[in-house]
Amino acid sequence: MTRCAGVARLLVLLALMVSLLALSGCGQASTSVNLLDDLDSASSEELVEISVFFPSSDTIIEEKRSVEPDEATPLTALKIMFEEEPEDTSHTKTLPEAKVLSASIDDGTARIDFDRGVLVSGSDPGTQRVALVAIIYAMKQFPGVEQVAFSVEGKTSGQIDGKDIETFWGEVSLSDMPWSAAEPVQTTDGKE
């Protein structure tokens, strides 16, 4: 009988241990759900805001966009400007349908490379200047940017598809660059 009583106690202890492990496992599952919730809220708190500037024919609107810290770059700001529409639906964006191939900051100059679509601009000179100013505003929010320069598929002169690269948008000529990020933009006609 003592042996049976010892086995019974052992079985009760074993059942108790299994129950405790099961209960602690439930506690861990709910803890990990809470940890995931904490991670989600922490990552949303870690987002940073960048400014994007949408030009229209004579105005620029600034909108803030939340991005991951490693995406707070000139390239991200420009891609948003060129690929997305403003949240303000009453504002009509006037940028060419072009892709931003790269954007980097090198020795104080924000260097932006576009695809050839940027050379198609049927807008008037005033609208072109407003678009240039919007791009410069977007770039000057990044530390170290003192000036801005463009290229088209890596080139600043010559032709692509019969279009003169240096002429760019006419009034906004690549011969005027780099443009200062600190001063009003001057174009070939001397206007801001």
Side-chain angles (χ1 to χ4, degrees), residues 169-186:
W169 293 337
E171 294 288 324
V172 177
S173 167
L174 297 191
S175 65
D176 296 329
M177 64 177 198
W179 298 283
S180 172
E183 301 170 12
V185 176
Q186 296 289 323

Side-chain angles (χ1 to χ4, degrees), residues 16-179:
L16 184 60
M17 287 175 54
V18 168
S19 297
L20 286 174
L21 285 174
L23 286 174
S24 69
C26 290
Q28 286 178 350
S30 66
T31 302
S32 61
V33 169
N34 289 339
L35 287 175
L36 289 175
D37 290 344
D38 291 344
L39 285 174
D40 287 343
S41 67
S43 66
S44 67
E45 290 172 11
E46 292 176 10
L47 294 177
V48 295
E49 283 190 335
I50 59 171
S51 292
V52 292
F53 298 85
F54 292 104
S56 70
S57 60
D58 59 356
T59 60
I60 297 171
I61 61 167
E62 177 183 13
E63 291 184 355
K64 300 284 187 178
R65 298 294 169 91
S66 296
V67 297
E68 295 289 332
D70 62 337
E71 293 177 357
T73 64
L75 183 60
T76 299
L78 290 167
K79 283 189 172 196
I80 291 169
M81 288 171 58
F82 276 80
E83 295 174 10
E84 296 180 17
E85 292 300 318
E87 291 171 355
D88 178 352
T89 56
S90 68
H91 188 79
T92 303
K93 176 177 81 170
T94 54
L95 286 169
E97 290 186 30
K99 292 200 183 304
V100 181
L101 300 176
S102 66
S104 62
I105 301 170
D106 181 35
D107 292 329
T109 302
R111 300 190 182 284
I112 305 164
D113 189 38
F114 296 98
D115 77 345
R116 62 190 66 204
V118 78
L119 296 174
V120 179
S121 178
S123 57
D124 66 80
T127 301
Q128 294 166 354
R129 284 190 298 273
V130 171
L132 174 63
V133 171
I135 293 167
I136 291 172
Y137 281 178
M139 293 301 95
K140 74 185 207 176
Q141 74 183 301
F142 296 100
V145 173
E146 299 169 8
Q147 51 192 5
V148 178
F150 295 168
S151 60
V152 181
E153 297 181 5
K155 299 178 180 182
T156 56
S157 63
Q159 292 192 345
I160 294 179
D161 294 338
K163 294 182 177 130
D164 182 45
I165 294 168
E166 195 169 353
T167 302
F168 203 67
W169 293 337
E171 294 288 324
V172 177
S173 167
L174 297 191
S175 65
D176 296 329
M177 64 177 198
W179 298 283

